[in-house]
Amino acid sequence: MIHRILCRALAAATCLAPTTMAVAQADALPQSPMSADIVVYGCTSGGVVAAIEARRLGRSVLLVCREDYLGGMSTNGLGWSDTGNHRAIGGLSLDFYRKVKRHYDDAAVWVHAPRPARAENFVDGDAMWQFEPKVGERIYEDWAREAGVTIVRNQPLDRSKRGVEMAGGKITAFHSKSGQRFEGKVFIDATYEGDLMAGAGVRFTVGREANATYGETLNGVQLENTTNHQFTLDVDPYRVPGDPRSGLVPRVSAERPAPDGTADTKIQAYTYRMCLTDVPANRVPFAKPTAYDASQYTLLKRYMHAGHRNFFQKFDRIPNGKTDTNNFGAFSFDNIGMNYRYPEGSDAERAAIAREHTTYQQGLLWFMANDPGVPAETRAEMSKWGLCKDEFVKTAHWPREMYVREARRMVSDFVMAEPHLRGTRPMPRPIGMGSYNMDSHNVQRIVDARGFVRNEGNIEVSPGRAYPISYDAIVPRKGEAANLLVPVALSASHIAYGSIRMEPVFMILGQSAATAASIAIDEGVPVQDVDYARLRARLLADGQILELAR
């Protein structure tokens, strides 16, 4: 059923915002090859910080962007930062949040809403953890310019076999789809998808490992443990209630889940993180998408008729009367089960999946504000909200980037897993820290043994501490890509990655990757053989946090 929905949706041109990866001439892009000591592919938060750190270390650097903007999800709606333990955030990552606070210390920037009376909701010491997307983007742009980073925009990787050049176990260059060649001594893949890593032939995995693989308890299928973002009321899944022969309503899979703890290749749900506002002067009403299909929300309508009302729980406030609106509950902004092909899909497949997600989410907003089957009080509340006039102005105020929570993950000689996060196994060679919950969003929506709808895959379990992240998790196996570092699609199990995959941590790891790249160039060694003592000393000198007293 879900597969058929996706196939129909992919055929329709539905989104208000462009989702294809444009190939355009960048800032004075020459026809000849471009080269630098360190080439960073991917302009996520981790990629931007890696490039800035490379310049601070005196290295020439190219920051090659798939898109025309910087910051990844930090500038596309994820303004309510998932920080975990603030004390575990150091280095340039902490500097970013200090820059956020300095921006909002200026009373003149509070134009749509007053500064909150309870500043502790936003501020911790000299850092501030919530911000508007356009503010995050401005900070990254200014910061990179001041550092002297050369940015090359709109240059998505040629993902064909000829896209990445290898010689002697090293990357010598990669090509963008426009034909531009980028040469470097060391490369950093800072994409969420691990595209450069895959092009270099580095081993990776997609999906969930079995619990037995790494001695875990929260990996693989997790139906019994999926208690949050779960249906709290019985909802019938059939087109004709009570009649399985009538078929399933949209957004429910007929597949039976495997036993708990077993592996699969499914992916936790993606979404667009919505920057919404209820300030009339800055509000753009929700538009009805071209391919709107009210039947896609039948399940939600039945859930509301059964008594569900808690739709607005995760409209988290950020400055100036805006929100970072996240998924909440059993049927919300997460597009469960519609992204399985994304990690290894072609550019065309990925763009189609992004369009389907856009249609689903725009349709959901329209449905909640307009459908007569939605309770009147819910429609009235939803109608107070809209997109923000002053955000994403080039894409009809819709976020430019879908939240790819997890895609490929490298499989290196060392794989971070649940026992490392909990502290029951030692962590070699730390380069930063994480602390957030082991967090997986739902993976599939199925019919349970009683004949009602149930979600599967959501896990939110604290590791119980701030934990170190190993250098060995961001370098490929020995013998694979001796000059590549992977600080975003790093080597971790599905459930361990669920904690690591936070924007502050990606910035931490981006800085550490750039430091290691510089040392590898100095020493003339593969990244796998960087002198850890030297790396550690430099990281500590630069304010990175490598351990915390419990």
Side-chain angles (χ1 to χ4, degrees):
M1 174 61 68
I2 284 180
H3 177 72
R4 289 199 299 273
I5 294 167
L6 181 59
C7 290
R8 287 201 308 271
L10 299 191
T14 57
C15 62
L16 294 177
T19 56
T20 55
M21 299 176 193
V23 178
Q25 202 74 351
D27 305 334
L29 188 66
Q31 296 302 311
S32 58
M34 300 185 72
S35 64
D37 294 332
I38 299 171
V39 181
V40 181
Y41 178 62
C43 294
T44 61
S45 59
V48 175
V49 167
I52 291 168
E53 178 65 6
R55 289 296 300 134
R56 290 177 72 217
L57 296 172
R59 299 295 177 184
S60 60
V61 64
L62 291 172
L63 178 59
V64 182
C65 303
R66 184 173 59 190
E67 308 87 0
D68 66 352
Y69 56 85
L70 303 183
M73 284 307 302
S74 285
T75 61
N76 279 277
L78 211 169
W80 183 277
S81 299
D82 297 319
T83 55
N85 186 335
H86 295 173
R87 296 191 303 124
I89 300 171
L92 296 182
S93 183
L94 180 58
D95 284 352
F96 172 80
Y97 295 103
R98 287 169 170 161
K99 290 176 183 290
V100 170
K101 182 178 183 297
R102 287 197 292 272
H103 172 84
Y104 287 109
D105 281 344
D106 181 358
V109 306
W110 294 85
V111 295
H112 293 302
R115 187 197 307 267
R118 293 176 59 83
E120 62 266 28
N121 290 341
F122 287 95
V123 176
D124 177 21
D126 61 352
M128 183 168 170
W129 310 100
Q130 290 81 35
F131 54 91
E132 299 159 90
K134 66 178 185 179
V135 170
E137 186 170 0
R138 186 181 313 145
I139 289 171
Y140 284 128
E141 291 281 0
D142 291 347
W143 202 5
R145 184 182 63 254
E146 292 161 5
V149 173
T150 300
I151 305 171
V152 192
R153 305 174 193 265
N154 292 315
Q155 292 297 309
L157 176 69
D158 178 352
R159 294 173 58 210
S160 71
K161 292 182 178 180
R162 62 181 179 273
V164 180
E165 297 179 20
M166 303 286 294
K170 292 183 177 181
I171 301 173
T172 55
F174 69 83
H175 297 261
S176 68
K177 291 178 72 174
S178 72
Q180 181 62 51
R181 188 173 189 266
F182 299 97
E183 304 170 345
K185 297 176 182 176
V186 177
F187 294 81
I188 296 174
D189 183 343
T191 63
Y192 296 120
E193 296 86 355
D195 284 340
L196 182 59
M197 168 190 75
V202 171
R203 184 178 174 185
F204 64 85
T205 190
V206 174
R208 299 183 286 187
E209 298 89 352
N211 271 332
T213 302
Y214 298 118
E216 298 179 300
T217 65
L218 299 173
N219 212 336
V221 176
Q222 291 289 319
L223 186 59
E224 183 177 351
N225 286 329
T226 301
T227 55
N228 291 336
H229 304 292
Q230 185 58 275
F231 288 89
T232 58
L233 302 164
D234 288 341
V235 179
D236 191 293
Y238 300 111
R239 293 182 181 276
V240 176
D243 183 5
R245 294 172 299 176
S246 66
L248 295 166
V249 300
R251 308 280 162 180
V252 181
S253 171
E255 185 174 343
R256 291 176 177 245
D260 278 7
T262 57
D264 63 20
T265 58
K266 296 182 173 67
I267 301 295
Q268 63 175 304
Y270 297 168
T271 189
Y272 285 91
R273 290 290 278 257
M274 303 306 305
C275 186
L276 303 179
T277 185
D278 58 355
V279 177
N282 196 36
R283 185 178 65 210
V284 177
F286 298 129
K288 185 178 183 179
T290 304
Y292 176 72
D293 177 4
S295 72
Q296 298 300 312
Y297 314 102
T298 300
L299 198 61
L300 177 57
K301 185 183 294 187
R302 289 182 182 180
Y303 195 28
M304 289 188 290
H305 286 178
H308 172 68
R309 292 293 183 274
N310 201 8
F311 187 78
F312 302 97
Q313 182 70 28
K314 286 298 290 179
F315 283 49
D316 292 324
R317 287 287 185 178
I318 60 175
N320 276 313
K322 300 175 185 177
T323 70
D324 170 355
T325 299
N326 195 4
N327 179 81
F328 183 82
F331 194 114
S332 181
F333 294 106
D334 276 2
N335 196 359
I336 299 171
M338 305 298 281
N339 60 342
Y340 298 158
R341 280 292 306 151
Y342 183 90
E344 297 183 78
S346 67
D347 289 344
E349 285 178 296
R350 287 180 177 177
I353 290 168
R355 287 195 299 272
E356 193 281 330
H357 278 65
T358 301
T359 298
Y360 165 75
Q361 212 155 326
Q362 289 177 347
L364 177 60
L365 293 168
W366 174 265
F367 171 82
M368 292 297 289
N370 295 279
D371 193 283
V374 174
E377 67 273 18
T378 301
R379 273 184 283 132
E381 175 63 24
M382 196 71 207
S383 295
K384 296 176 183 178
W385 295 93
L387 306 179
C388 301
K389 287 182 183 178
D390 60 349
E391 297 285 357
F392 315 124
V393 295
K394 294 181 181 179
T395 53
H397 314 291
W398 191 259
R400 300 158 295 190
E401 188 165 333
M402 183 172 63
Y403 191 3
V404 177
R405 291 188 171 100
E406 181 179 352
R408 297 185 186 97
R409 288 171 283 110
M410 183 167 63
V411 179
S412 189
D413 290 321
F414 177 83
V415 179
M416 291 195 62
E418 181 184 339
H420 299 111
L421 275 58
R422 293 185 184 272
T424 59
R425 289 184 190 166
M427 183 71 70
R429 308 204 296 176
I431 55 169
M433 301 196 79
S435 63
Y436 200 77
N437 286 344
M438 292 178 280
D439 181 18
S440 172
H441 283 235
N442 279 307
V443 175
Q444 55 188 333
R445 180 179 289 133
I446 53 90
V447 180
D448 69 14
R450 300 184 306 122
F452 295 107
V453 184
R454 188 168 175 82
N455 293 336
E456 184 277 316
N458 191 90
I459 297 293
E460 299 171 53
V461 177
S462 171
R465 62 177 196 142
Y467 56 86
I469 299 170
S470 176
Y471 177 64
D472 301 295
I474 71 167
V475 296
R477 292 181 169 198
K478 285 195 174 185
E480 292 183 346
N483 63 339
L484 175 67
L485 294 121
V486 186
V488 177
L490 76 165
S491 180
S493 73
H494 157 72
I495 198 60
Y497 191 80
S499 173
I500 297 167
R501 63 172 180 82
M502 305 303 158
E503 295 289 290
V505 178
F506 287 152
M507 286 189 272
I508 290 168
L509 297 179
Q511 178 178 356
S512 295
T515 306
S518 182
I519 294 172
I521 293 170
D522 272 347
E523 297 179 342
V525 298
V527 294
Q528 293 88 347
D529 296 333
V530 160
D531 181 349
Y532 175 69
R534 182 177 175 186
L535 174 61
R536 178 184 176 90
R538 181 70 204 214
L539 295 178
L540 290 172
D542 287 342
Q544 291 279 51
I545 308 298
L546 305 186
E547 57 190 1
L548 285 178
R550 295 195 66 176

